[in-house]
Structure formats: structure tokens, C-alpha cells
Amino acid sequence: MSLIAFDFDGTLSDSEMTVLLARRAGAADEVAEITERAMNDELSYAESLYQRAELLSGLDEELVDAAFDEVALRPGAGALIERLQAEGHHVAVLTGGFERGVERALAKQGVEADTIVANRLPMEGGKLTGAAEGPLIEGTKDDALAALADDLGVPMAETVAVGDGANDLPMLEVAGAAIGFVPKDAVRPVCDAVVASMFRLGKVFEGYDVLPAE
């Protein structure tokens, strides 16, 4: 068994959850700018998430639900997760994004991740408080990957990490194999392979003997 850890926003999904929420809060441009700066490693991830969450303060629960309903997996992502699980691999989603969006996108494709480590946007009185909480704000994905590998008894050499942005760098650096999904410039140098589609990602998994050739 290998442990395959995916980032979500920008990797398994081309949706950017905070942007979908921000459109409904009338703060899309500000949030997109903060997101871009964080992904290019110009701003710490924690700082960027707290800033974006603050811009969403007061957003109504109904609008939050509508935004999470828009989150979707990339074409072929659901089928690839199923292939990995059928071979006995543990599929994890390690994301600075939000649990509700991840769960809904997976459910729409009829798949489940074995583990989801994600953040949350707390609500009070049916509205977002403007705060953010969860393990991957101050915590980093290398620690999350190492802890999960330890729990599963999987050596780090048998882990694969797939991501695109600066907050994926820690897990890409410690994983047995690091795959960039259309990675940002700051991320590309640490990647063992770079792909731009789920089809190509499947082929890379075949090349690493993670999956049998189709």
C-alpha cells in the first residue's frame, strides 16, 4: 500500500473555494489577489487565509452553501481516485481549503477520500464569523503527511504527494515522489514530475508502478 496525498484547490479541483465564496460576498478581486500572492510564496499561507476569511465575514449560510455546491473535481479525478483505491492505496486530501467543499465535490462524483485534512469557516447566527480554523492554517502539509504515514505504517519513501502551490511545497519536499499539477514557478523545482491533466497523472502513477498500465 502507498499513501497518495492530493492537494485540493488547483489540483484535484480547478475551483478556488475562497474565490467562489468571495464572489457572493462582493470581495472577489481582493480575495483573488491575496490567493495569488500566497500561491507564489509572497505571503504566508496562514496570513493569507485569515485575511481572506475576514473578507467573507457576515456571508449568509445559504450563500455559503451555494458556493460549496459549485466546487467540482477536475475531469477524470474521481475515476483516478477509484483506481488508486482499487489497488489498495490510501488516498488522502490535504488542503488549506474547506471540508464542506471537498466533501461535496467528491460526493458529486460518487467517490470518497480515505482521509481528509482540511480547514473550516465557523458560523454564528447563520453567518460566517470572518474567522478560520483547522489543522492546515498554522500547521503544514509535511507534518500532516508524516503523521498520516506513521498512523498507517507507510514509510515516507512510499508516499506520493500531488500539488500546485507554495503551501504544497512542504509535503512535496518530504514525500517519496513529488508530482506538480500545473505547479507555480516556486513549486516546479521540487517536483519529480509535472502534469497538466488527470490522464497524464494516471500515466505517471503507472510509470511509478503505483497503478498497473491500462
Side-chain angles (χ1 to χ4, degrees), residues 61-99:
E61 187 166 11
E62 209 171 287
L63 294 174
V64 173
D65 275 344
F68 284 139
D69 280 339
E70 270 188 58
V71 180
L73 296 184
R74 289 183 186 276
L80 187 57
I81 288 169
E82 285 182 327
R83 277 182 73 194
L84 289 165
Q85 290 171 328
E87 291 301 314
H89 301 308
H90 189 101
V91 174
V93 177
L94 307 183
T95 177
F98 308 112
E99 274 175 352

Side-chain angles (χ1 to χ4, degrees), residues 145-170:
L145 182 64
L148 187 52
D150 190 46
D151 285 349
L152 296 168
V154 174
M156 286 301 282
E158 289 171 30
T159 63
V160 182
V162 188
D164 71 307
N167 71 319
D168 298 317
L169 273 170

Side-chain angles (χ1 to χ4, degrees), residues 29-47:
D29 291 347
E30 297 98 309
V31 163
E33 186 191 339
I34 295 166
T35 301
E36 190 61 27
R37 287 176 62 206
M39 285 297 163
N40 285 318
D41 217 8
E42 296 167 24
L43 190 67
S44 84
Y45 187 77
E47 200 179 343

Side-chain angles (χ1 to χ4, degrees), residues 23 50 58 66-67 79 96 134 137 140 164 166 186 192 202:
R23 281 187 197 138
Y50 289 133
I137 302 179
T140 52
D164 71 307
D192 299 309

